[in-house]
Amino acid sequence: MRVALVSDPLTVHGGAERVIEQMLSLFPQADVFAIVDIVPPAQRGFLGDRPVTTSFIQRIPGGARRYQSLFPLWPLAVEQFDLTAYDLVLSSHHGVAYGVLTRPGQVHVSYVHSPMRYAWDQQHAYLREAGLERGAKSWLARWALHKARLWDFAAAQRPDILVANSQFVAGRIRTAHRREATVIHPPVATRALASWARTDQGPPGGYYLSVGRLVPYKRTELLARAFAQMPDLRLKIVGDGPDAKRIAALAAPNVELLGRVPTEEVHRLMAGADALVYAGIEDFGIAAVEAQATGTPVVAYRAGGMAEIIVGSGSPGTTGGFIESQTEDGIIAAVRAFEEARRPRASDCIANAARFSEERFRESFAGVVERALASKGQPEVPIGREQPAAWPPELAAAE
C-alpha cells in the first residue's frame, strides 16, 4: 500500500509535527508533502531520513521565508500535489492540507488541529489584532477571508473521514463545515516526562507557572494583572511575544518574565509549580497535559480543550480547577479557591495525563484508518502500533 502524508507548512517540531511523527510511526512507508519545509536541522528527527516534497511556494524567491504572507496561494498550492499513485492519503490540517485533491477509490483521513479559525469564528479578533477594523485594507482583508471561507467549506468535504483533536474543535467543524468528526486527542510524550514526576508528598515550589507564546489570545497579560493584585503569590511566565513589553511594564515584583527557556527547564518548572495557570481558549492544550504528567495540577479558563483535560474539583481524581470568567476577578477567585481547597494528588494528575499518551493516539488513529480502508473495500494492511525504536527503554516502561 502506498501512503502519502500531506501537511501545512512544516516550520518547527511543534504540536502538529508531533501528530505527524506518530502517523509516520504507524506508516513508515509514507511519502511526505508540505506547503513549505523550513524545519531546522536539529529538529528534523521526527521526519527520519524522509525527503519532503514541497509546493511551488518553496520555489518562489523568498517564498520559504515569506510563506505566511503568501497564504492566498496556499489553496492553489495544495491542489497541485499529484497523489494519484497513492492508496491512502493522510493529512495534518490547520490551514489547507485537507484540500488536497484525491481520485475515486483513494482513502483520505484528515487530522484537523483546527478549521481555518481566522476565516471563521475568530475573524473579527484577527482583524482587530491586525489593525484592520476599518478602511480600504480592512475591506480587502474581509473579501479575502470571505473567499477563503468558500474554498475552505468545499475543501472540508473532500476527506472521507475528519478527525478532530478535541470535542471543542469537533464542534467548530460542525458549525463551519456541517460535518461530524471523530475525536482523537493529540499525542503527548507522557513517558518522556516520567523522570520529572513528583510524588504525592512532593512539596510545591511556591509559585504558579504560565507557559506559552505571549500573544493576545493567550490572555497571559490578564494573568499577570491578576497576580499583581495577589502579592502573596508568585507567577513565573515562560515564553515571549508581543505582550512581553506590556507585562514587563506592570513592574509587579511577584510576576517574573523568564522568556524562552530550554525544554528541560520548562519541565523542571512544571514539576515544581503549585499549578499551571491559563486564561486563554485553546483548541486542546498540550502544555496542560505535560504539566499533569509531572504531577502538577492545572487551573484554566473553562473553555476549549482545557475543559476536556482537567478533572475539576468535586469529581473523583481531581486534577485542577477552573476559571469561570476571563477577567482579573475571575482569575483571582479561581486561584484563591484552589489555594483553599485540598490540593489534587500528583498521582491523580499523572494518571489523568496517561489518557493522552502517544500509545493511545496510535491505537485510536490506526483504528480509524483501518475502518476507513475497510469501508472502501481496501485489503487489510499491517499498521505499526509498536513504540518507535528511538524511545529509550527506561522511558518506554515508565508510563
Side-chain angles (χ1 to χ4, degrees), residues 31-362:
D31 294 328
V32 180
F33 298 78
I35 299 297
V36 298
D37 174 19
I38 55 173
V39 177
Q43 298 182 33
R44 300 186 69 83
F46 74 99
L47 290 168
D49 296 324
R50 297 174 183 83
V52 177
T53 301
T54 55
S55 75
F56 67 79
I57 291 177
Q58 184 104 18
R59 296 184 289 278
I60 295 175
R65 185 181 69 257
R66 299 184 297 111
Y67 72 94
Q68 289 178 312
S69 64
L70 296 173
F71 174 76
L73 296 177
W74 290 15
L76 176 63
V78 80
E79 291 178 343
Q80 304 317 302
F81 290 135
D82 183 1
L83 306 182
T84 53
Y86 294 91
D87 306 293
L88 172 64
V89 176
L90 307 174
S91 57
S92 172
H93 173 91
H94 56 79
V96 298
Y98 59 28
V100 67
L101 302 180
T102 56
R103 58 169 171 75
Q106 281 179 311
V107 173
H108 180 187
V109 178
S110 183
Y111 190 89
V112 183
H113 306 275
S114 173
M116 200 181 285
R117 59 171 72 90
Y118 32 82
W120 293 96
D121 53 307
Q122 295 185 26
Q123 171 187 290
H124 301 294
Y126 274 84
L127 290 172
R128 185 165 53 251
E129 290 170 17
L132 292 172
E133 292 183 277
R134 296 179 179 83
K137 288 185 178 180
S138 172
W139 284 108
L140 284 173
R142 291 171 191 272
W143 174 251
L145 292 171
H146 168 70
K147 299 296 287 184
R149 278 190 293 277
L150 296 177
W151 180 88
D152 190 51
F153 182 87
Q157 313 310 310
R158 296 173 187 173
D160 296 285
I161 293 179
L162 296 179
V163 178
N165 70 351
S166 65
Q167 294 289 350
F168 177 65
V169 167
R172 296 177 63 222
I173 292 170
R174 191 177 302 113
T175 298
H177 303 317
R178 299 298 189 264
R179 289 198 64 179
E180 294 299 321
T182 299
V183 175
I184 300 177
H185 294 115
V188 181
T190 53
R191 288 186 179 85
L193 293 163
S195 60
W196 296 101
R198 64 198 196 196
T199 65
D200 289 335
Q201 290 73 39
Y207 61 87
Y208 287 78
L209 182 68
S210 169
V211 176
R213 289 180 297 125
L214 304 185
V215 293
Y217 86 90
K218 297 275 189 180
R219 308 307 294 272
T220 310
E221 182 186 358
L222 189 63
L223 281 176
R225 291 184 179 279
F227 272 83
Q229 298 178 52
M230 296 183 287
D232 56 314
L233 301 176
R234 296 164 58 206
L235 174 66
K236 294 178 181 285
I237 299 174
V238 171
D240 61 10
D243 278 1
K245 291 182 179 179
R246 289 195 293 272
I247 294 171
L250 294 175
N254 64 323
V255 176
E256 184 180 4
L257 272 171
L258 302 179
R260 288 190 179 186
V261 301
T263 300
E264 286 198 358
E265 178 64 7
V266 174
H267 295 160
R268 186 190 70 79
L269 289 166
M270 283 180 171
D274 290 357
L276 184 78
V277 287
Y278 195 84
I281 301 176
E282 282 285 354
D283 295 327
F284 179 62
I286 287 177
V289 177
E290 290 178 335
Q292 296 206 345
T294 70
T296 298
V298 179
V299 178
Y301 181 48
R302 194 195 291 269
M306 293 291 184
E308 301 170 40
I309 295 170
I310 300 167
V311 179
S313 59
S315 301
T318 298
T319 67
F322 288 110
I323 299 166
E324 300 297 346
S325 66
Q326 280 182 307
T327 62
E328 293 172 27
D329 288 343
I331 294 167
I332 292 169
V335 172
R336 290 301 188 194
F338 179 80
E339 285 281 310
E340 294 170 5
R342 180 181 178 183
R343 292 297 174 94
R345 297 191 307 168
S347 56
D348 286 335
C349 293
I350 294 167
N352 184 53
R355 296 190 293 130
F356 310 101
S357 69
E358 292 169 321
E359 182 179 32
R360 292 199 177 188
F361 173 87
R362 291 195 304 275

